[in-house]
Amino acid sequence: MRIVPLLCLMLFSALAHAGTPLPDGPHIVVTGEGKLSVKPDSARVRVAFEQRSPQPLAAKQAVDARVNALLAGTAGFGIEDQDVRASDIDVEEDVDYDDKDRRISHGHLATRQVTLLLRDIDRLNELLDFCLSSGAVRIAEVSFESTQAAQLRAEAKRKAVAEARGKGEEMAAAFGVALGPVYSIDSVNSRSAAGWGGATLDRIQVTGSRAPAPGRYLQPTVEYAENVSAVFELRR
């Protein structure tokens, strides 16, 4: 009487993993997900520098000077060399064409992007101001992270594996069979998610004048998630 349930499980797994090698005997395919949410303790900031000039060398040198000014002050924020990526550069001529297909040059545009890892998240607004004062023309991205990301991902993976095995055991028991050894782990996927927002408030000083207060940047919860898909053999 157990033949039909076993055939159903095999059919389900075959449909779910078409083209993936599966055991010849009874088996089951299960997925598991593990998530951990923590408050971030660091921020990764990416800023852009641009300079337009008739000559490409002049454009490059101007951008390099602004990036150097930024890098000269990163140590004051506790940012070490391994926390900086400043190797990206692009220099190209900005060209248009008129109605008669004549070439029109708008000079050469040099662009560099710098990525910084700030481990003192309370100084985020101060760092953003410093980047702009150094000549950055755009704050391209700010993402929150945890310095314990590796450990959090490992724990999330353990949760995903435990959930997958639990699902397999529950389903097997429902059909009157036992979960056997794992046959294969078909995929392990990682992801993390975080965002940021801010609000600018006014501060009333003793003199009665009003001046903008430093920007406040909300520190959301950072989520680390791991997904696993596994094939288990079934024992009658």
Side-chain angles (χ1 to χ4, degrees), residues 182-222:
V182 62
Y183 178 81
S184 66
I185 300 173
D186 293 292
S187 63
V188 176
N189 300 314
S190 303
R191 73 175 188 275
S192 61
W196 69 285
T200 301
L201 305 177
D202 283 345
R203 177 180 62 230
I204 300 178
Q205 298 181 344
V206 177
T207 60
S209 62
R210 294 171 65 84
R216 294 190 305 118
Y217 298 93
L218 307 182
Q219 300 177 15
T221 297
V222 181

Side-chain angles (χ1 to χ4, degrees), residues 60-92:
K60 174 188 177 297
Q61 290 176 338
V63 165
D64 287 344
R66 294 173 185 173
V67 171
N68 290 342
L70 171 65
L71 298 181
T74 53
F77 291 89
I79 299 174
E80 302 178 359
D81 289 345
Q82 63 266 27
D83 299 327
V84 179
R85 177 180 175 183
S87 59
D88 297 336
I89 184 168
D90 181 68
V91 181
E92 61 181 359

Side-chain angles (χ1 to χ4, degrees), residues 33-70:
E33 182 179 50
K35 294 181 181 180
L36 285 174
S37 296
V38 298
K39 185 177 181 179
D41 59 9
S42 59
R44 195 174 298 273
V45 177
R46 181 163 56 90
V47 294
F49 295 79
E50 294 180 358
Q51 176 63 47
R52 190 184 300 272
S53 178
Q55 299 299 322
L57 179 59
K60 174 188 177 297
Q61 290 176 338
V63 165
D64 287 344
R66 294 173 185 173
V67 171
N68 290 342
L70 171 65

Side-chain angles (χ1 to χ4, degrees), residues 52-129:
R52 190 184 300 272
S53 178
Q55 299 299 322
L57 179 59
K60 174 188 177 297
Q61 290 176 338
V63 165
D64 287 344
R66 294 173 185 173
V67 171
N68 290 342
L70 171 65
L71 298 181
T74 53
F77 291 89
I79 299 174
E80 302 178 359
D81 289 345
Q82 63 266 27
D83 299 327
V84 179
R85 177 180 175 183
S87 59
D88 297 336
I89 184 168
D90 181 68
V91 181
E92 61 181 359
E93 187 177 11
D94 185 5
V95 178
D96 279 335
Y97 292 88
D98 63 14
D99 295 338
K100 296 182 179 180
D101 203 30
R102 290 176 298 194
R103 189 175 184 274
I104 302 174
S105 176
H106 299 289
H108 291 78
L109 182 65
T111 304
R112 286 190 67 177
Q113 293 200 7
V114 178
T115 302
L116 308 170
L117 177 60
L118 177 67
R119 300 181 186 275
D120 185 356
I121 200 170
D122 293 332
R123 301 185 68 186
L124 175 58
N125 183 68
E126 185 183 351
L127 176 63
L128 296 179
D129 287 352

